[in-house]
Amino acid sequence: MTGTTGQISRTAFARNQWYVAAYGREIGRELLARTILNEPIVFYRTQDGGEAVALADRCVHRRYPLSAGRLDGDTLVCGYHGFTYDTTGTCVSVPGQKRVPRTARVRSYPVVEQDSLVWVWIGDPESADPDAVPRAAHLADPAWRTVGGMETVECDYRLLVDNLLDLSHETYLHGGYIGTPEVAETPIVTEVDEGAGTVRVSRHMDDAACPPFYARSTGIEGRITRWQDIEYHAPCLYLLHSRIAPRGVLPEPDGSDPNAFHVEITYAVTPSTDRRVYDFWCVSRDFAQDDEDVTAFLHDLNHTVVMQDVDALDLLQRSLDTEPEGYQELSINIDTGGLAARRILTRLAAEGEPQPAHAPAAAR
Amino acid sequence: MTGTTGQISRTAFARNQWYVAAYGREIGRELLARTILNEPIVFYRTQDGGEAVALADRCVHRRYPLSAGRLDGDTLVCGYHGFTYDTTGTCVSVPGQKRVPRTARVRSYPVVEQDSLVWVWIGDPESADPDAVPRAAHLADPAWRTVGGMETVECDYRLLVDNLLDLSHETYLHGGYIGTPEVAETPIVTEVDEGAGTVRVSRHMDDAACPPFYARSTGIEGRITRWQDIEYHAPCLYLLHSRIAPRGVLPEPDGSDPNAFHVEITYAVTPSTDRRVYDFWCVSRDFAQDDEDVTAFLHDLNHTVVMQDVDALDLLQRSLDTEPEGYQELSINIDTGGLAARRILTRLAAEGEPQPAHAPAAAR
Amino acid sequence: MTGTTGQISRTAFARNQWYVAAYGREIGRELLARTILNEPIVFYRTQDGGEAVALADRCVHRRYPLSAGRLDGDTLVCGYHGFTYDTTGTCVSVPGQKRVPRTARVRSYPVVEQDSLVWVWIGDPESADPDAVPRAAHLADPAWRTVGGMETVECDYRLLVDNLLDLSHETYLHGGYIGTPEVAETPIVTEVDEGAGTVRVSRHMDDAACPPFYARSTGIEGRITRWQDIEYHAPCLYLLHSRIAPRGVLPEPDGSDPNAFHVEITYAVTPSTDRRVYDFWCVSRDFAQDDEDVTAFLHDLNHTVVMQDVDALDLLQRSLDTEPEGYQELSINIDTGGLAARRILTRLAAEGEPQPAHAPAAAR
């Protein structure tokens, strides 16, 4: 794993997978437009049932974005000529005539709302298994206090996966926030389950400086024992189980861990286009849950850290876009997890239905 | 006509046609640059005769835009090295030598000024027939009071033709301004003269709500009889004869119409590039001609309506540009006029000289 | 030479040549990023020796720009994951492991600092001869007082070479600053040494108006004898020896010239990308050397003149970019020097190593 060279391949999406489209709180009676895996989708919530609806964001008539229209009860009215759709995407009214053409319908997408997240399925609807949506139960668990947000990064989504799976960058890009020298110095242990599509990367620091992110939120003074256990469920869900304790304090023999602080860092990595990714991020903690100062501090500091990543990845993508064809990367031990993730993503993309890339929605 | 599917074809221009380049008032002793059918043109008016001149906006020397230069009497001096052209496009002076190369000339374009508009001919000059310029006499007729303007829309010019030929969008895009439910509900009658290249679309509403545009300008209270008679002369000129009267009031048996209000809505649709169109618009009325409040109101409200179209067409073009190859449209009765216009435009483009698209001006 | 037509060819760079990368004063302990001949390069100065270092601005790991990192002594630390390079481009440290892969190195570029300029060599390092760097000794000579700056122009670098080799444009583009009618009217004498890659263009005006640039700086009232002697050393260095004297005042028989004012106008023309050029400019004078008003005036007025060129060349490039394939230029006597320069540049580009254009830096 030391000194291997390679190159990131052309972007291909794993279509037969669940992706986070939005936080549940983002979807309501205002139309929300998101482009996911290059497909423009409009989201809204029904009036009574309050169910999330996902329809293709292009009117069948002249392909005007439906998200520029308005809701009439549970139907969606195009803002250009008034073609009107029900929640299944069936057109129920057109202007100037009573008869609605039979073929007048837009695609509707399977949706699952779970753990405060709204997941959408872009590929073959027959393959959409709601039970296969990966869990992030802490996000909706009152035992955890969660802050979060979403940023749009102008890069290939795999650059964000790379970023998250190799935390040694915390030392350099996020020094003074969440990074300390020990992160880059401490070797990692990587476990890959190619079949399940999961990658685990662990870095246990026995004796590390405490970065401001944890010093101020936990109140620990002095050095710490810091564990980072990454659990990536390709393609979308990334969990970082973070354990912070005064130096030398370990879990009890029975597995309980009353003297440590636990933070769950959750990311959902949802490709928007070939060069844009939605970066959903949450920080959940099991301590100081009612301390609003800690809540505000963790939100603001993590937002700062996320924006450092956004700026770096925007810059990296712009740089790659001007690189000559066939440029090389050089990978080392720290990249083991990221390279495994890339392999899994490549396989998942190949396993999906034939990449239609730019086939008409109507033909699917 | 119900439920036919199709797709807008690749942009092609009808070159052997007259196009509105500018209002006469826009052309004077300041150089005016406009790009028409992808050709950069500079316009000015001669000192004494006051005739409009249209020359290729590229110096023969290094292709610097002549519009960045200055007038010297009736000659045009390039702002880079001083190559100087007369009104026929012949170069009459170059720097550093007495002899002017015989081939030093830029193209001049046939121009006709009529009805307050300056029309230009881009195609084969031999085919330019000044008598074939379509008329919009009301624009320069003192019996009509006219307001107008010009907006640039970042879209294929045919999206604007589509927009204008199907007024059912008034109900949705311009509701509260010029649209009411009856516009979308009332069926249309379409007449196409493929040979003459004209399309007529009529919508006569016997009993309709009166939109603010007409309520405030005419003073009518209550419901109205509203006629919309479109007359499109492909490719450039669009006339909407609009008749508004109190509900039930019809023209007299002798054809006179003293108890109605008449508004002529004029558009000139001039393709600039494949993705830009000049949208000239005028509103002419035969009532309240001296009422400056009505003049200002009609100007401002129609400008608002035009900008609603501009925003919608910009958005539509951006959406189409990200659509996969082979996307489909679904057309219904309201589209009869627009589809006929597309057919005529396709024929006119094919009939023109072979599309040089990107052949050098000098070689023409 | 009168009335020849042709066309500028596709951009190709002469790689085996020295180019000005920066003024010496621009390179210090802050990282400076410049893209030269499409290659991103980061510059800095060592701590003790103060030598200028030029390294490829892409980390071998994930190609993050090294210019976004930081210096640690004389080593450069990548801002993403901390890969660290010495001044030769050899990677000396990577995160998470002791062993540094043998292939971990970035390219370093030969550099020469001379006459206040830092020159860099992009092509085959074996061919880099420091003694071949052309001289502009006046820039660092206390007998001359120099002001200068650098602007980025969004155009093919050859448009700037064209501009500088044909000063007849001073009359039109810079009228009222440095141009007068006599510049465009006076014929030129051109000498080309194809082998040495030099072009000389002379224009001696015996009786000319004095433009503000010289009138205010020299104090001359009335008409002048004005000599412009251009000496272009392709591809990068351009010297304009400018002599201004009261009308009729000539050098002494012994060659001395005590009664004239001398100004050396220096340009360095460094291609950044196919559509961007660094335009380094200096004005050096042998009179009023301690007059700060004259210093400020010449700086500000020449900056204004340079910006007139920048605006014109930006506009010209945008115009050329929309011109059809195969557009023609028409050249006359004034273009003799510029056309010779183009020929030399084409030959130098062809003589260089095979244009790798977009081959990976690692493979070189």
Side-chain angles (χ1 to χ4, degrees):
Chain A
M1 186 43 56
T2 282
T4 59
T5 56
Q7 191 190 358
I8 198 166
S9 58
R10 201 172 150 280
T11 311
F13 296 132
R15 291 174 53 83
N16 277 333
Q17 299 290 333
W18 290 103
Y19 289 95
V20 172
Y23 292 107
R25 64 178 182 266
E26 292 182 287
I27 297 179
R29 298 291 294 169
E30 301 283 319
L31 297 169
L32 175 71
R34 292 255 152 96
T35 295
I36 298 179
L37 274 57
N38 282 329
E39 302 208 8
I41 304 178
V42 56
F43 295 89
Y44 64 97
R45 208 175 273 285
T46 57
Q47 210 156 17
D48 297 332
E51 296 198 348
V53 176
L55 300 179
D57 191 18
R58 292 289 181 270
C59 183
V60 293
H61 177 226
R62 288 292 176 268
R63 309 209 70 69
Y64 195 71
L66 293 173
S67 55
R70 62 177 177 78
L71 289 175
D72 179 8
D74 285 349
T75 65
L76 176 47
V77 183
C78 180
Y80 197 178
H81 299 94
F83 278 57
T84 302
Y85 302 88
D86 69 16
T87 58
T88 71
T90 301
C91 184
V92 295
S93 171
V94 298
Q97 62 189 58
K98 297 284 181 210
R99 188 172 164 277
V100 177
R102 269 174 311 121
T103 56
R105 61 174 59 246
V106 298
R107 191 179 167 191
S108 77
Y109 294 85
V111 161
V112 169
E113 189 161 4
Q114 181 176 281
D115 301 333
S116 86
L117 303 171
V118 176
W119 297 76
V120 70
W121 181 271
I122 304 297
D124 174 16
E126 299 297 314
S127 309
D129 175 9
D131 295 333
V133 176
R135 299 304 304 258
H138 53 277
L139 294 181
D141 182 341
W144 296 84
R145 179 71 186 267
T146 297
V147 294
M150 191 274 278
E151 311 302 328
T152 301
V153 198
E154 304 299 324
C155 73
D156 187 315
Y157 79 101
R158 294 171 305 170
L159 297 188
L160 180 54
V161 174
D162 272 2
N163 173 285
L164 293 171
L165 280 167
D166 173 13
L167 295 183
S168 65
H169 81 273
E170 289 185 356
T171 304
Y172 301 95
L173 196 56
H174 309 304
Y177 295 86
I178 57 174
T180 68
E182 295 82 6
V183 180
E185 289 163 6
T186 306
I188 54 169
V189 177
T190 305
E191 285 177 62
V192 181
D193 185 334
E194 300 265 357
T198 56
V199 179
R200 288 164 203 273
V201 181
S202 294
R203 177 182 272 116
H204 287 199
M205 295 163 267
D206 297 333
D207 181 1
C210 189
F213 187 79
Y214 290 122
R216 188 157 154 203
S217 60
T218 65
I220 297 182
E221 295 175 1
R223 295 180 68 83
I224 58 173
T225 289
R226 180 180 183 187
W227 293 359
Q228 296 178 320
D229 292 285
I230 295 171
E231 191 182 327
Y232 173 56
H233 300 263
C236 189
L237 187 66
Y238 171 98
L239 307 174
L240 167 58
H241 312 295
S242 179
R243 177 186 183 276
I244 304 96
R247 180 165 51 117
V249 172
L250 296 178
E252 302 293 309
D254 66 358
S256 68
D257 195 17
N259 298 314
F261 299 83
H262 302 90
V263 176
E264 296 287 319
I265 311 277
T266 310
Y267 281 88
V269 179
T270 301
S272 177
T273 69
D274 294 3
R275 286 286 179 276
R276 178 174 293 170
V277 55
Y278 297 125
D279 178 357
F280 295 89
W281 60 270
C282 292
V283 175
S284 310
R285 69 185 191 274
D286 70 351
F287 56 90
Q289 284 145 308
D290 299 327
D291 187 329
E292 295 309 320
D293 285 350
V294 169
T295 298
F297 171 75
L298 287 180
H299 178 280
D300 293 352
L301 195 139
N302 207 63
H303 180 257
T304 299
V305 164
V306 168
M307 292 312 296
Q308 290 170 336
D309 282 326
V310 170
D311 290 345
L313 296 178
D314 285 354
L315 171 62
L316 180 56
Q317 184 67 62
R318 288 197 306 273
S319 299
L320 292 178
D321 286 342
T322 64
E323 284 288 273
E325 284 292 323
Y327 71 84
Q328 295 287 312
E329 299 175 330
L330 185 147
S331 297
I332 59 174
N333 290 346
I334 56 169
D335 300 305
T336 312
L339 292 175
R342 286 191 193 176
R343 279 196 309 274
I344 291 170
L345 292 171
T346 300
R347 176 178 61 77
L348 292 178
E351 281 176 11
E353 56 183 321
Q355 290 281 318
H358 284 126
R364 283 196 279 273
Chain B
M1 185 47 53
T2 280
T4 59
T5 55
Q7 191 189 358
I8 196 166
S9 58
R10 199 171 151 282
T11 310
F13 295 131
R15 291 173 52 83
N16 276 333
Q17 298 290 332
W18 290 103
Y19 289 94
V20 172
Y23 292 109
R25 63 177 182 267
E26 293 182 288
I27 296 179
R29 298 292 295 169
E30 300 282 318
L31 297 169
L32 175 71
R34 291 255 150 96
T35 295
I36 297 179
L37 275 55
N38 281 329
E39 302 209 7
I41 304 178
V42 56
F43 295 89
Y44 64 97
R45 208 175 274 284
T46 58
Q47 210 158 17
D48 296 331
E51 296 198 345
V53 176
L55 300 179
D57 192 18
R58 292 289 181 270
C59 183
V60 293
H61 177 226
R62 287 292 177 267
R63 312 209 68 68
Y64 195 71
L66 294 175
S67 55
R70 62 178 176 77
L71 288 175
D72 179 8
D74 284 349
T75 64
L76 175 47
V77 184
C78 180
Y80 199 177
H81 299 95
F83 279 56
T84 301
Y85 302 88
D86 68 17
T87 59
T88 70
T90 301
C91 184
V92 294
S93 170
V94 299
Q97 63 190 58
K98 298 284 180 208
R99 185 172 166 278
V100 176
R102 270 175 308 122
T103 56
R105 60 175 59 245
V106 298
R107 192 179 167 190
S108 77
Y109 294 85
V111 161
V112 169
E113 189 160 2
Q114 182 175 278
D115 301 333
S116 86
L117 303 171
V118 176
W119 298 75
V120 69
W121 181 273
I122 304 298
D124 175 15
E126 298 297 314
S127 309
D129 174 8
D131 295 332
V133 175
R135 299 304 305 258
H138 53 276
L139 294 182
D141 181 341
W144 296 84
R145 179 70 186 267
T146 297
V147 294
M150 191 275 278
E151 311 301 328
T152 301
V153 198
E154 304 298 323
C155 73
D156 187 313
Y157 79 101
R158 295 172 302 171
L159 298 187
L160 179 55
V161 173
D162 273 1
N163 173 285
L164 293 171
L165 280 167
D166 173 12
L167 295 183
S168 67
H169 80 272
E170 289 185 356
T171 304
Y172 301 95
L173 196 57
H174 308 305
Y177 294 86
I178 56 174
T180 69
E182 295 82 6
V183 181
E185 288 163 6
T186 306
I188 54 169
V189 177
T190 305
E191 284 176 64
V192 181
D193 184 335
E194 300 263 357
T198 57
V199 179
R200 289 164 202 274
V201 181
S202 295
R203 178 181 273 118
H204 286 198
M205 296 163 266
D206 296 334
D207 181 2
C210 189
F213 187 77
Y214 290 120
R216 189 159 151 202
S217 60
T218 64
I220 296 182
E221 295 175 2
R223 294 179 69 82
I224 58 174
T225 289
R226 180 180 183 186
W227 293 359
Q228 297 178 320
D229 292 285
I230 295 171
E231 189 183 328
Y232 173 56
H233 300 264
C236 188
L237 187 66
Y238 171 97
L239 307 174
L240 167 59
H241 310 294
S242 180
R243 178 187 183 277
I244 304 96
R247 180 165 52 121
V249 172
L250 297 178
E252 301 293 309
D254 67 359
S256 68
D257 195 17
N259 298 315
F261 299 82
H262 301 91
V263 175
E264 296 287 320
I265 312 278
T266 310
Y267 281 87
V269 179
T270 301
S272 176
T273 69
D274 293 3
R275 285 287 178 276
R276 178 172 296 169
V277 55
Y278 297 125
D279 178 357
F280 295 89
W281 59 272
C282 293
V283 176
S284 310
R285 68 183 192 274
D286 70 350
F287 56 91
Q289 284 146 308
D290 299 327
D291 188 327
E292 296 308 320
D293 285 350
V294 169
T295 298
F297 171 75
L298 287 180
H299 178 278
D300 293 352
L301 196 139
N302 207 64
H303 181 255
T304 298
V305 165
V306 168
M307 291 311 297
Q308 290 170 336
D309 282 326
V310 169
D311 290 346
L313 295 178
D314 285 353
L315 171 61
L316 180 56
Q317 184 66 63
R318 287 198 305 274
S319 299
L320 293 178
D321 285 343
T322 64
E323 284 288 272
E325 284 291 323
Y327 71 86
Q328 294 286 312
E329 299 176 330
L330 185 145
S331 297
I332 58 174
N333 289 347
I334 56 168
D335 300 305
T336 313
L339 293 175
R342 285 190 193 178
R343 279 197 310 275
I344 290 169
L345 292 171
T346 300
R347 176 177 61 75
L348 292 180
E351 281 176 9
E353 56 184 321
Q355 289 281 318
H358 283 125
R364 281 198 281 273
Chain C
M1 185 44 58
T2 281
T4 60
T5 56
Q7 191 190 359
I8 197 166
S9 59
R10 202 172 148 281
T11 310
F13 295 132
R15 291 173 54 83
N16 277 332
Q17 298 290 334
W18 291 102
Y19 289 95
V20 172
Y23 292 108
R25 64 177 182 267
E26 293 183 288
I27 298 180
R29 298 292 296 168
E30 301 283 317
L31 298 169
L32 175 71
R34 290 255 151 96
T35 295
I36 298 179
L37 274 57
N38 281 330
E39 303 209 6
I41 304 177
V42 56
F43 295 89
Y44 65 97
R45 209 175 272 285
T46 58
Q47 211 157 17
D48 297 331
E51 295 198 348
V53 176
L55 300 179
D57 191 17
R58 292 289 181 269
C59 183
V60 294
H61 177 227
R62 287 294 176 266
R63 310 210 67 68
Y64 194 71
L66 293 174
S67 55
R70 63 177 175 79
L71 288 175
D72 179 8
D74 285 348
T75 65
L76 175 47
V77 184
C78 180
Y80 198 178
H81 298 95
F83 278 56
T84 302
Y85 301 88
D86 68 17
T87 58
T88 70
T90 301
C91 184
V92 294
S93 171
V94 300
Q97 63 189 59
K98 297 284 181 210
R99 188 174 163 276
V100 177
R102 272 174 308 121
T103 56
R105 59 174 62 244
V106 298
R107 190 179 166 191
S108 77
Y109 295 84
V111 161
V112 169
E113 189 161 3
Q114 181 175 281
D115 301 333
S116 86
L117 304 171
V118 176
W119 297 77
V120 69
W121 181 271
I122 304 298
D124 176 15
E126 299 297 314
S127 309
D129 175 8
D131 295 332
V133 175
R135 298 303 304 258
H138 53 277
L139 294 181
D141 181 342
W144 295 84
R145 180 69 186 269
T146 297
V147 294
M150 192 275 277
E151 311 302 328
T152 300
V153 197
E154 304 299 322
C155 75
D156 187 312
Y157 78 103
R158 295 172 303 171
L159 298 187
L160 180 55
V161 174
D162 273 0
N163 173 285
L164 293 171
L165 281 167
D166 173 13
L167 296 183
S168 65
H169 80 273
E170 290 185 355
T171 304
Y172 301 96
L173 195 57
H174 308 306
Y177 296 86
I178 56 173
T180 68
E182 295 82 7
V183 180
E185 289 163 7
T186 307
I188 53 169
V189 176
T190 306
E191 285 176 64
V192 181
D193 184 335
E194 300 264 356
T198 56
V199 179
R200 288 163 203 273
V201 180
S202 294
R203 177 181 275 115
H204 286 200
M205 295 163 266
D206 296 333
D207 180 3
C210 188
F213 188 78
Y214 290 120
R216 186 157 155 200
S217 60
T218 64
I220 296 181
E221 294 174 3
R223 295 179 70 82
I224 57 173
T225 290
R226 180 178 183 189
W227 293 359
Q228 296 178 321
D229 292 285
I230 295 171
E231 189 183 327
Y232 173 56
H233 300 264
C236 188
L237 187 65
Y238 171 97
L239 307 174
L240 167 58
H241 311 295
S242 179
R243 177 187 183 276
I244 304 96
R247 180 165 50 120
V249 173
L250 298 178
E252 302 292 311
D254 66 359
S256 68
D257 194 17
N259 298 315
F261 299 83
H262 301 91
V263 175
E264 295 287 318
I265 311 277
T266 310
Y267 280 89
V269 179
T270 301
S272 176
T273 69
D274 294 3
R275 285 287 178 274
R276 178 172 295 169
V277 55
Y278 297 125
D279 178 357
F280 295 88
W281 60 271
C282 292
V283 175
S284 310
R285 70 184 190 273
D286 70 351
F287 57 91
Q289 284 146 311
D290 299 327
D291 187 329
E292 295 308 320
D293 286 350
V294 170
T295 298
F297 171 76
L298 287 180
H299 178 279
D300 294 352
L301 196 141
N302 206 63
H303 181 256
T304 298
V305 164
V306 168
M307 292 312 296
Q308 289 169 336
D309 282 326
V310 169
D311 291 345
L313 295 178
D314 285 354
L315 171 61
L316 179 57
Q317 185 66 63
R318 287 198 306 274
S319 300
L320 291 178
D321 285 343
T322 64
E323 284 288 273
E325 284 291 323
Y327 71 85
Q328 295 287 310
E329 298 175 332
L330 184 146
S331 297
I332 58 173
N333 289 348
I334 57 169
D335 300 306
T336 313
L339 292 175
R342 286 191 192 175
R343 280 196 308 275
I344 291 170
L345 292 171
T346 299
R347 177 177 60 77
L348 292 179
E351 280 176 11
E353 55 185 323
Q355 290 282 320
H358 284 125
R364 282 196 280 272

